[in-house]
Amino acid sequence: LGIVVAAVFAVAQSSIDSGINSTATVITVDLVGRFRQRPLSGRAELRLAQALTLVIGTLVTAAGFSLTLLPEEYNILDLTLKTFNLALGPLAAMFMAGMLLTHVGPRAATTAGILGTLCAVYFAFGEEIYAEHALAPFLIIPLSWLVTFTIAAVLGGFLRGPSAEQVRNLTWRNVVLGDKSEPK
């Protein structure tokens, strides 16, 4: 029994440390490396990734510990279902807006994603935050998707959209149908 428990903990630890290392690498390479004026040396990049790993690992450990402080009426499965569903609807809507709506640019999609995620938080945790009846966890994804997609479509009409060259081979019509005509 002890070996089985140790194996389960080893698998969980392996998954968590992979996620933490991946997150630190993405932040170091894709965010810091992209927006920094002078590139970091290999040694500085490694030190930054190590520091980020420590910070993210501490945050993940604190979040895991905070679950032990939850009241008894909450269980980990219900909270996991709610929190996992927070990002899926808005993320899918951002991808769909990019694929289907040629007038939606990065600003409109990002703004819609943030507002859609805030709506998803309200849908999921309205009862805990606002003392209002919360929706069933399975409605969080479609409702937050609808909010995000609608906001992206509306904001796309007001904010600067992508250029014709950016849209050329990235929309559904161009990829699936092979339509190489100029976007409207």
Side-chain angles (χ1 to χ4, degrees):
L1 184 63
I3 291 175
V4 172
V5 171
V8 169
F9 283 138
V11 168
Q13 181 182 353
S14 173
S15 297
I16 292 171
D17 74 14
S18 297
I20 292 170
N21 286 330
S22 296
T23 304
T25 301
V26 165
I27 291 171
T28 302
V29 174
D30 292 341
L31 293 178
V32 174
R34 180 177 178 190
F35 295 112
R36 189 170 164 85
Q37 302 239 336
R38 288 185 2 226
L40 291 173
S41 68
R43 183 181 215 70
E45 200 171 84
L46 176 64
R47 292 283 183 214
L48 177 61
Q50 288 173 333
L52 284 171
T53 300
L54 180 65
V55 169
I56 295 168
T58 303
L59 291 173
V60 168
T61 303
F65 177 74
S66 69
L67 291 176
T68 64
L69 305 174
L70 289 173
E72 287 186 26
E73 65 263 13
Y74 298 109
N75 66 41
I76 187 74
L77 294 177
D78 289 339
L79 287 176
T80 300
L81 190 58
K82 285 182 178 185
T83 55
F84 184 71
N85 289 344
L86 292 180
L88 292 179
L91 187 61
M94 288 170 62
F95 279 113
M96 295 292 286
M99 288 174 42
L100 300 175
L101 305 175
T102 58
H103 70 285
V104 174
R107 280 198 177 144
T110 303
T111 304
I114 291 168
L115 293 174
T117 302
L118 291 174
C119 287
V121 168
Y122 174 74
F123 296 151
F125 297 104
E127 189 172 24
E128 290 84 359
I129 298 172
Y130 304 106
E132 294 183 15
H133 182 67
L135 295 172
F138 302 108
L139 291 176
I140 298 168
I141 293 174
L143 289 177
S144 63
W145 182 92
L146 182 64
V147 168
T148 305
F149 193 82
T150 303
I151 291 173
V154 171
L155 286 179
F158 295 105
L159 299 175
R160 186 169 59 106
S163 68
E165 187 59 35
Q166 290 172 319
V167 173
R168 185 172 314 272
N169 290 320
L170 300 177
T171 60
W172 178 84
R173 162 174 247 137
N174 293 358
V175 173
V176 174
L177 299 178
D179 186 0
K180 302 297 181 196
S181 64
E182 289 293 319
K184 298 175 182 170

Coordinates of all heavy atoms in Angstrom, one line a residue, residues 102-106 108 155-164 166-167:
T102 N -13.2 38.3 -39.2 CA -12.0 38.9 -39.8 C -11.7 40.3 -39.3 O -10.7 40.9 -39.4 CB -12.0 38.9 -41.3 OG1 -13.2 39.7 -41.7 CG2 -12.0 37.5 -41.9
H103 N -12.7 41.0 -38.7 CA -12.6 42.3 -38.2 C -12.1 42.4 -36.7 O -11.9 43.5 -36.2 CB -13.9 43.1 -38.3 CG -15.0 42.6 -37.4 ND1 -15.7 41.4 -37.6 CD2 -15.5 43.2 -36.3 CE1 -16.6 41.3 -36.6 NE2 -16.5 42.3 -35.8
V104 N -11.9 41.3 -36.1 CA -11.5 41.3 -34.7 C -10.0 41.2 -34.6 O -9.4 40.2 -35.1 CB -12.2 40.1 -33.9 CG1 -11.7 40.0 -32.5 CG2 -13.7 40.3 -33.9
G105 N -9.4 42.2 -33.9 CA -8.0 42.2 -33.7 C -7.6 41.8 -32.4 O -8.4 41.4 -31.5
P106 N -6.3 41.8 -32.1 CA -5.8 41.4 -30.8 C -6.3 42.1 -29.6 O -6.6 41.6 -28.5 CB -4.3 41.6 -30.9 CG -4.0 41.8 -32.3 CD -5.2 42.2 -32.9
A108 N -9.3 43.7 -29.3 CA -10.7 43.4 -29.0 C -10.8 42.0 -28.5 O -11.5 41.7 -27.5 CB -11.4 43.4 -30.4
L155 N -16.6 44.8 -30.1 CA -15.4 45.6 -29.9 C -14.6 45.6 -31.2 O -13.9 46.6 -31.5 CB -14.5 45.1 -28.8 CG -15.0 45.4 -27.4 CD1 -14.0 44.8 -26.4 CD2 -15.1 46.9 -27.2
G156 N -14.7 44.5 -32.0 CA -14.0 44.5 -33.3 C -14.4 45.6 -34.2 O -13.7 46.0 -35.1
G157 N -15.7 46.0 -34.1 CA -16.2 47.1 -34.9 C -15.6 48.5 -34.5 O -15.7 49.4 -35.3
F158 N -15.2 48.6 -33.3 CA -14.7 49.9 -32.8 C -13.2 50.0 -32.7 O -12.6 51.1 -32.9 CB -15.3 50.2 -31.4 CG -16.8 50.3 -31.4 CD1 -17.6 49.3 -30.9 CD2 -17.4 51.5 -31.9 CE1 -18.9 49.4 -30.9 CE2 -18.7 51.6 -31.9 CZ -19.5 50.6 -31.4
L159 N -12.5 48.9 -32.4 CA -11.1 48.9 -32.3 C -10.4 48.5 -33.6 O -11.0 47.9 -34.4 CB -10.6 48.0 -31.2 CG -11.2 48.3 -29.8 CD1 -10.8 47.2 -28.8 CD2 -10.7 49.6 -29.3
R160 N -9.2 48.9 -33.7 CA -8.4 48.6 -35.0 C -8.3 47.1 -35.1 O -7.8 46.4 -34.2 CB -7.0 49.3 -34.9 CG -6.3 49.2 -36.2 CD -5.0 50.0 -36.2 NE -4.2 49.7 -35.1 CZ -3.0 49.1 -35.2 NH1 -2.6 48.7 -36.4 NH2 -2.3 48.8 -34.2
G161 N -8.7 46.6 -36.3 CA -8.6 45.2 -36.6 C -7.3 44.8 -37.2 O -6.4 45.7 -37.5
P162 N -7.1 43.6 -37.6 CA -5.9 43.1 -38.2 C -5.9 43.5 -39.7 O -6.9 43.8 -40.3 CB -6.0 41.6 -38.1 CG -7.5 41.3 -38.0 CD -8.1 42.5 -37.3
S163 N -4.7 43.6 -40.2 CA -4.5 43.9 -41.6 C -4.9 42.8 -42.5 O -5.0 41.6 -42.0 CB -3.0 44.3 -41.9 OG -2.2 43.2 -41.8
A164 N -5.1 43.0 -43.8 CA -5.5 42.0 -44.7 C -4.4 40.9 -44.8 O -4.8 39.7 -44.9 CB -5.8 42.6 -46.1
Q166 N -2.5 39.9 -42.3 CA -2.5 39.1 -41.1 C -3.7 38.1 -41.2 O -3.6 37.0 -40.6 CB -2.7 40.0 -39.9 CG -1.5 40.8 -39.5 CD -1.8 41.8 -38.4 OE1 -2.8 42.5 -38.4 NE2 -0.8 42.0 -37.5
V167 N -4.7 38.5 -41.8 CA -5.9 37.6 -41.9 C -5.8 36.6 -43.0 O -6.4 35.5 -42.9 CB -7.2 38.5 -42.1 CG1 -8.4 37.7 -42.3 CG2 -7.4 39.5 -40.9

